[in-house]
Amino acid sequence: MTNLLTPTKETASANSTLGAALDRIDGPKKVTGAATYAYEHAVEHVTYAFPVQSTIAKGRIAAIDARAALALPGVLAVLSHENAPRLVATDGAEMAIFQSDAVAYHGQFVAAVVAETIETARQAAQLVTVHYEQQPHEAVLRAESADLYKPDHVNPFYETDTESGDIETALAQAAVTLDQTYTTPAEHNNPLEPHTTLAVWSDDGAHLTLYDANQGAYRIRDTVAQAFGLAPEQVRVISPYIGGAFGSKARVHPQVVLAVMAAQMVRRPAKVALTRQQMFSVAGYRTPTIQRIRLAAGADGKLTAIAHDVIEQTATIQEFAEQTALATRMMYAAPNRRTTHRLARLDMPVPAFMRAPGECPGMFALESAMDEMALACGLDPIEFRLRNEPQLDPETGRPFSTRGLVACLQEGARRFGWQQRDPRPGLRRDGRWLVGTGVAASTYPARRRPSSARVRVESDGRYTVAIAAADLGTGAWTALTQIAADALDVPLARVHLEIGDTALPAAQIAGGSMGTTSWGAAIVEAAQALRKRLHEEYHDIVPAAGLEATAETGDNPAAQQFAMHAYGAQFAEVRVNRDTGEVRVPRLLGVFAVGRIINAKTARSQLLGGMTMGLSMALHEESVLDPQFGDYVTHDFASYHIATNADVGAVEVAWIDEDDRHVSPMGAKGIGEIGIVGTAAAIANAVYHATGIRVRDLPITLDKLLPMLS
Ligand code: MOS
């Protein structure tokens, strides 16, 4: 193992646990109920707010009759645009609840009841009568819509379109071409813990404390402070434990604003917890996509053109431009290239981040197309990818800091037993089951962002490591403790970690798979600074308690020199029932090149979880739209299907050795999102191999197979 503090000397730190499969240090607290989640914080005189949601998709509120609700014992207030506090500045209109009579989507918060108990609030919310003036709405994403527009950029700051060479000529002259459209449905994030906020104002109204389920306490603090006209220092956000997020807790959603307003209105603390049904309205969702892929290749199986044109949706009130074609810009070599994104502005809830936004739906399309193209070229799909491996990032011309795609494909092929595979579809039978295997590549950007951390020597010889990081259930509590112990060269037990609080040094959110790299870099730098001070000022005598060092990392300069991405290869075995069309996935294998692994156990869990979510995407997940109603009608787990234990077979997770110091001083990349990327394509490719039926429209439900099965 390498000592982080002296990466050039490669001296081993005797105390290093980097890479070890350690149990979660927060595990016992969680299973015994001692870890306090946002909704569980106990405060005196707490009240409960419950929203009233719009029953129309577009129009205005003509009148609100709150008399029956207010007459219910225990009801303290009814909030609406008629009496709610005015917000000063908002980060998008989704959070700007109760600011006007306009209704922009079905399910929007139009009023809320504040009451002594959650039951009273919920009952009273049903007694609030809202009269609307309804206007025609548009809720359907259509490729042929005349109103599609080109956003200024796609998330988070990428060019909307890229083009080089001449696609049309390359397609016209190619020996082999493909032109297919792939579609993915809207999908909804469903973390186990719903979005919850407890808002507590100080008596003088000068300080606001939020106990909130989020991916980054500082981002919530700054957004709320701005909205309510407060200085950031007047707001404290406390979020030590989070029950999952998957992107849906990355920004302020309406329930945060509701809690703050309710507490302000009744001058008592207020709690809001979204119900599972409400999570389908105001917590974000993955946009549906319509993706046209065109590929051209020579007789040698080398791509000469790659074009990826994406159509997706955003809301009328706030733009969300998913970066769906991003991965296509660097996955494979080809002299002629093009990516575009066009948006439809719909009278719908605002789309948001959902695990690997962009890469996940985009790689379903690209990796399905690569499978089809390999077959058209008469090549094994792994061999086809190897022939199109770029030496430099094809669009920027930058070298890759590390690129483990080939290694993942080869190691995966070895583990999966790919060599024996007969490429012909529809041949393997086991009774009434058709059996097939598929492969797809996986990728996710490897980035980090500025963060700060503080390390302090305590009188008992322990080191307090403070950083406003967020553990979404990912293992950050454990991984950051390991990184700190390694950097300080002390046993784990001597590190006391503090996270999830804006009283701690500011840090990047847990998003974009940038948590560990960003926070780890800051912790390593702070630990180095502290050790330097200990060495210089104390000459290795007993260190004085209270000595501390703070580090503030800047942008990673390597990001300007290198193309930095994580890679993976996903393999799937599927069984398709010839009589019913149902699909089973007895086996998944994911091999990843994600930099240095900090904790083998939590890393495996992250990757396994991502692959499981990818299986869920492939076979089950779909938010079903009712165009008349103007909203998704799947608002619970009875109608919105996710993979459960019985749907998941053997899932094997592996990684290749990689150590990328350009990305982070630990050599780690990021593992939160890559696990879901490519899984759905691997399964779709396996379904083709099993049946000869190519499903280009997710999810792969039996109705899409049954008519063609004999
Ligand atoms: Mo992740 S979906 O970037 O929070």
Side-chain angles (χ1 to χ4, degrees):
M1 301 234 172
T2 307
N3 186 333
L4 296 176
L5 299 172
T6 52
T8 49
K9 275 168 64 186
E10 298 289 337
T11 42
S13 155
N15 289 303
S16 184
T17 62
L18 287 196
L22 299 184
D23 289 347
R24 287 161 192 258
I25 61 171
D26 50 329
K29 273 189 186 168
K30 284 186 173 169
V31 297
T32 57
T36 312
Y37 289 80
Y39 198 74
E40 299 170 332
H41 282 274
V43 291
E44 296 205 328
H45 310 300
V46 72
T47 66
Y48 298 83
F50 197 91
V52 177
Q53 296 179 265
S54 166
T55 56
I56 65 166
K58 189 181 184 183
R60 57 176 290 274
I61 301 164
I64 292 184
D65 185 349
R67 284 171 298 180
L70 287 165
L72 200 69
V75 170
L76 301 167
V78 175
L79 275 156
S80 72
H81 71 281
E82 292 175 350
N83 61 354
R86 299 297 98 182
L87 297 176
V88 176
T90 57
D91 173 22
E94 188 206 37
M95 66 176 283
I97 55 171
F98 314 147
Q99 299 300 294
S100 82
D101 61 1
V103 174
Y105 62 91
H106 183 272
Q108 189 173 359
F109 290 2
V110 291
V113 174
V114 192
E116 296 285 353
T117 69
I118 181 66
E119 292 81 7
T120 304
R122 190 167 187 167
Q123 184 190 355
Q126 294 180 14
L127 300 176
V128 176
T129 311
V130 184
H131 299 280
Y132 300 96
E133 279 173 17
Q134 199 167 349
Q135 292 162 6
H137 63 257
E138 183 53 75
V140 185
L141 178 65
R142 296 175 215 274
E144 66 279 10
S145 167
D147 297 332
L148 298 174
Y149 76 98
K150 178 183 170 183
D152 289 341
H153 66 272
V154 290
N155 296 335
F157 45 73
Y158 292 104
E159 281 179 275
T160 304
D161 297 352
T162 57
E163 184 147 17
S164 57
D166 179 352
I167 286 288
E168 305 299 337
T169 303
L171 281 159
Q173 293 174 350
V176 186
T177 60
L178 170 140
D179 183 351
Q180 292 291 355
T181 297
Y182 305 84
T183 54
T184 60
E187 295 158 1
H188 278 78
N189 279 323
N190 275 288
L192 194 57
E193 177 202 32
H195 294 53
T196 53
T197 306
L198 162 59
V200 186
W201 286 92
S202 62
D203 288 341
D204 60 1
H207 293 279
L208 172 65
T209 304
L210 298 177
Y211 301 89
D212 180 66
N214 63 66
Q215 293 177 228
Y218 268 87
R219 179 178 285 185
I220 303 301
R221 181 197 76 159
D222 293 347
T223 307
V224 168
Q226 200 180 41
F228 287 84
L230 301 167
E233 300 72 39
Q234 291 177 277
V235 182
R236 181 175 174 191
V237 177
I238 300 173
S239 318
Y241 301 103
I242 314 292
F246 308 113
S248 72
K249 293 173 181 167
R251 58 185 304 163
V252 166
H253 289 292
Q255 89 287 345
V256 180
V257 180
L258 173 55
V260 177
M261 281 183 174
Q264 198 168 29
M265 196 91 166
V266 302
R267 306 184 70 83
R268 286 168 58 181
K271 276 184 179 181
V272 179
L274 296 184
T275 62
R276 184 60 62 188
Q277 289 83 358
Q278 289 163 352
M279 300 250 317
F280 285 84
S281 298
V282 296
Y285 63 98
R286 195 195 293 284
T287 174
T289 69
I290 302 168
Q291 306 179 54
R292 182 184 184 194
I293 302 255
R294 285 173 291 167
L295 300 175
D300 57 356
K302 288 203 165 189
L303 288 166
T304 55
I306 303 174
H308 191 169
D309 299 295
V310 180
I311 294 166
E312 54 201 10
Q313 78 189 40
T314 184
T316 56
I317 55 166
Q318 187 171 320
E319 183 175 279
F320 184 89
E322 180 133 333
Q323 66 275 37
T324 304
L326 192 66
T328 302
R329 294 176 182 172
M330 65 77 212
M331 278 307 286
Y332 302 109
N336 304 288
R337 327 178 57 86
R338 161 194 161 101
T339 62
T340 67
H341 298 84
R342 296 294 176 269
L343 299 184
R345 219 180 250 122
L346 300 176
D347 301 305
M348 291 291 285
V350 186
F353 313 107
M354 180 163 167
R355 204 172 201 169
E359 284 76 11
C360 179
M363 286 289 279
F364 166 69
L366 180 65
E367 292 302 296
S368 293
M370 287 296 285
D371 196 68
E372 296 196 56
M373 194 65 174
L375 280 159
C377 291
L379 288 171
D380 173 83
I382 292 179
E383 172 59 25
F384 182 55
R385 285 173 176 82
L386 299 188
R387 286 197 193 180
N388 291 289
E389 173 73 2
Q391 294 312 303
L392 300 169
D393 179 348
E395 291 212 355
T396 66
R398 289 178 189 153
F400 294 100
S401 58
T402 47
R403 181 172 162 118
L405 177 59
V406 168
C408 290
L409 286 164
Q410 290 173 338
E411 174 63 11
R414 189 187 68 76
R415 285 176 180 255
F416 197 77
W418 188 262
Q419 287 79 358
Q420 292 82 40
R421 184 180 186 261
D422 183 333
R424 292 173 296 168
L427 292 182
R428 290 143 302 273
R429 301 202 169 172
D430 179 5
R432 300 301 294 171
W433 294 88
L434 302 171
V435 182
T437 53
V439 66
S442 185
T443 189
Y444 197 78
R447 298 175 292 210
R448 66 178 164 93
R449 294 258 174 84
S451 291
S452 49
R454 186 179 58 233
V455 181
R456 189 177 60 230
V457 185
E458 303 294 351
S459 54
D460 61 2
R462 292 203 302 168
Y463 295 81
T464 297
V465 177
I467 181 167
D471 188 328
L472 312 180
T474 49
W477 273 107
T478 313
L480 296 187
T481 302
Q482 289 176 260
I483 290 169
D486 181 74
L488 290 162
D489 195 10
V490 298
L492 275 186
R494 280 180 63 195
V495 174
H496 170 70
L497 181 70
E498 294 179 344
I499 65 168
D501 190 335
T502 55
L504 308 173
Q508 155 69 18
I509 69 161
S513 300
M514 285 182 276
T516 305
T517 54
S518 306
W519 308 326
I523 289 171
V524 168
E525 218 174 287
Q528 284 174 332
L530 183 73
R531 287 183 72 175
K532 193 158 174 278
R533 289 195 62 186
L534 286 171
H535 184 70
E536 284 170 1
E537 298 172 25
Y538 291 87
H539 303 284
D540 290 334
I541 312 168
V542 185
L547 191 73
E548 64 177 45
T550 302
E552 212 175 311
T553 63
D555 287 317
N556 183 1
Q560 301 306 315
Q561 301 159 28
F562 296 99
M564 303 196 293
H565 306 267
Y567 295 90
Q570 305 245 13
F571 293 78
E573 178 184 326
V574 307
R575 294 161 68 84
V576 180
N577 189 290
R578 287 179 62 195
D579 302 312
T580 66
E582 65 195 297
V583 180
R584 295 278 180 260
V585 182
R587 189 158 67 114
L588 285 177
L589 164 68
V591 181
F592 300 94
V594 287
R596 189 124 165 255
I597 296 293
I598 304 296
N599 181 319
K601 182 176 275 187
T602 56
R604 176 179 174 275
S605 295
Q606 278 294 92
L607 296 165
L608 189 150
M611 291 168 69
T612 304
M613 205 164 163
L615 182 156
S616 194
M617 174 194 193
L619 301 183
H620 305 292
E621 295 196 38
E622 177 175 22
S623 302
V624 178
L625 183 74
D626 180 336
Q628 293 287 322
F629 195 48
D631 196 2
Y632 300 109
V633 292
T634 37
H635 270 232
D636 53 41
F637 284 158
S639 51
Y640 185 87
H641 295 174
I642 59 172
T644 58
N645 282 357
D647 298 308
V648 183
V651 183
E652 187 189 345
V653 176
W655 46 78
I656 62 160
D657 280 335
E658 196 175 75
D659 186 340
D660 193 333
R661 303 291 163 121
H662 296 302
V663 175
S664 72
M666 302 81 64
K669 285 181 173 173
I671 50 174
E673 298 173 84
I674 190 169
I676 194 175
V677 180
T679 320
I683 291 171
N685 296 341
V687 166
Y688 176 82
H689 188 233
T691 63
I693 303 167
R694 180 65 65 175
V695 181
R696 301 186 183 90
D697 174 45
L698 291 184
I700 308 169
T701 43
L702 53 84
D703 54 296
K704 294 169 189 171
L705 297 167
L706 209 44
M708 283 161 285
L709 287 169
S710 47

